[in-house]
Amino acid sequence: MKKSLLFLSLICASCSGPEGTLLEQVDRLSTATRNDYYVSNRAPLQPQQFIKLPAGTIQPDGWLKQQLELQKNGLNGHLGEISAWLQKKDNAWLETGGQWG
């Protein structure tokens, strides 16, 4: 027990940041500042907490890219070929009197 407690305290000490680092917990992010580069809410609406980036700004890489490719090449990517509910032919969502959907 003493060895594991000592090991845990060594791990915690090695993971701590440099001395003098100030950590602050806030309930909500500040909305006092505006970002001139992105569209945000206008008055009287409150500013958004997070900036919505344009589509395609962030590109997946590494593990996330591999997982997305697995989904694309697996069931999710071929669901339209497998499921009768997603076929465009005779789909009740796309045409009146369709059988599926």
Side-chain angles (χ1 to χ4, degrees):
M1 178 70 178
K2 288 183 182 181
K3 287 183 181 181
S4 59
L5 196 58
L6 177 64
F7 180 71
L8 180 62
S9 62
L10 287 174
I11 295 292
C12 291
S14 65
C15 293
S16 64
E19 291 184 29
T21 302
L22 178 64
L23 298 177
E24 183 179 350
Q25 180 178 353
V26 295
D27 293 329
R28 190 172 172 98
L29 294 175
S30 172
T31 57
T33 58
R34 296 273 184 177
N35 190 324
D36 295 332
Y37 301 106
Y38 296 99
V39 177
S40 185
N41 292 341
R42 292 182 293 178
L45 299 174
Q46 289 185 345
Q48 296 173 344
Q49 289 291 316
F50 297 102
I51 298 169
K52 294 180 182 178
L53 298 175
T57 302
I58 299 174
Q59 298 293 325
D61 195 22
W63 176 84
L64 180 60
K65 184 176 182 178
Q66 180 185 7
Q67 295 301 311
L68 293 172
E69 288 173 351
L70 284 172
Q71 285 185 358
K72 179 186 77 168
N73 297 329
L75 179 64
N76 289 350
H78 298 283
L79 197 56
E81 302 165 14
I82 298 169
S83 175
W85 298 99
L86 297 176
Q87 299 295 326
K88 291 184 179 180
K89 181 182 177 188
D90 205 23
N91 191 319
W93 287 97
L94 301 175
E95 59 185 51
T96 305
Q99 180 181 1
W100 307 105

